[in-house]
Amino acid sequence: MNWKQRAKVIFDVPKPTHFGNYQHCSECAEHDVTLSTVDVDSIGLKELGNPGWDPLCFSSAEGLMYYMPALIRLTLDTIDNPHERYIAQMLFHLIKDGPGNTLVSACNNSQREFVADFLQYLVDNHSSQIEEDSFTSEDVLKAHEIWRAEV
C-alpha cells in the first residue's frame, strides 16, 4: 500500500482557518501562524521536528486531521534515520490523553482503521527501528490499542 497517498485520500479534509485558540497568548498565535502558512504537502521537520516547540500540540482535532497525511509522510521518511526519526512525535499526537481522545473521536471509522493499520504496518515492517527506543516501542502498542479499539 502507498501509505502516503492513501493518507491524503482518507484525510482529505479542509484546512482550518485557525488551528486553535490563537488569541490565547503569543505562543498560540505563533503556532497558528506556522500551521496556517504551510500546507499538508509542505510542512516538514522544520516546523514539526522539535517536540519542545511543536505547533500541533496546540492544534484542534480538525487541524491534526488536516495534517495527518504529513504525520504519516514524516514518519515514513524519517524511520531509518535515528537522529531525525519522527515516529515518537506522531505517537504523542495519536495517543494524546488516551482512549476516546479528541482526535480519535473526531475521526470516522475509516480514518481510525487506517491509522490502526498504519501502526500495525510500522510494527510489522520497522520493528528494529521502533525497538531502538523503549518509549516508542511501548507507545506504538498503546496507540495501536487506542485506535483499533475505536474501529
Side-chain angles (χ1 to χ4, degrees):
M1 174 185 299
N2 184 330
W3 291 101
K4 295 176 198 178
Q5 183 179 52
R6 189 74 183 133
K8 288 183 81 170
V9 171
I10 294 285
F11 286 95
D12 183 22
V13 298
K15 183 176 184 178
T17 304
H18 292 285
F19 288 83
N21 185 359
Y22 66 98
Q23 296 175 325
H24 176 259
C25 65
S26 61
E27 186 176 357
C28 290
E30 184 176 341
H31 288 322
D32 190 68
V33 167
T34 298
L35 295 173
S36 297
T37 57
V38 291
D39 64 28
V40 71
D41 295 315
S42 64
I43 200 164
L45 291 179
K46 177 183 172 197
E47 296 83 12
L48 302 178
N50 181 349
W53 192 255
D54 182 349
L56 290 177
C57 291
F58 295 84
S59 179
S60 64
E62 293 75 22
L64 283 165
M65 289 171 63
Y66 172 77
Y67 277 117
M68 186 64 72
L71 302 184
I72 301 295
R73 172 178 46 83
L74 289 171
T75 298
L76 291 171
D77 289 352
T78 64
I79 196 75
D80 292 320
N81 184 342
H83 303 292
E84 290 188 338
R85 205 168 278 151
Y86 187 75
I87 186 171
Q89 197 61 15
M90 179 195 71
L91 293 171
F92 176 80
H93 294 301
L94 295 180
I95 293 170
K96 292 182 68 82
D97 57 353
N101 68 60
T102 57
L103 179 56
V104 172
S105 297
C107 290
N108 64 38
N109 282 341
S110 296
Q111 292 165 331
R112 289 189 292 266
E113 183 175 12
F114 172 83
V115 171
D117 289 348
F118 178 67
L119 293 169
Q120 186 63 56
Y121 164 81
L122 291 174
V123 169
D124 292 345
N125 294 279
H126 298 285
S127 60
S128 61
Q129 294 93 328
I130 291 169
E131 290 170 1
E132 288 178 15
D133 179 343
S134 61
F135 290 113
T136 301
S137 187
E138 292 172 22
D139 283 351
V140 74
L141 298 175
K142 185 177 184 179
H144 184 265
E145 183 179 313
I146 289 168
W147 285 80
R148 178 61 68 200
E150 298 293 330
V151 175

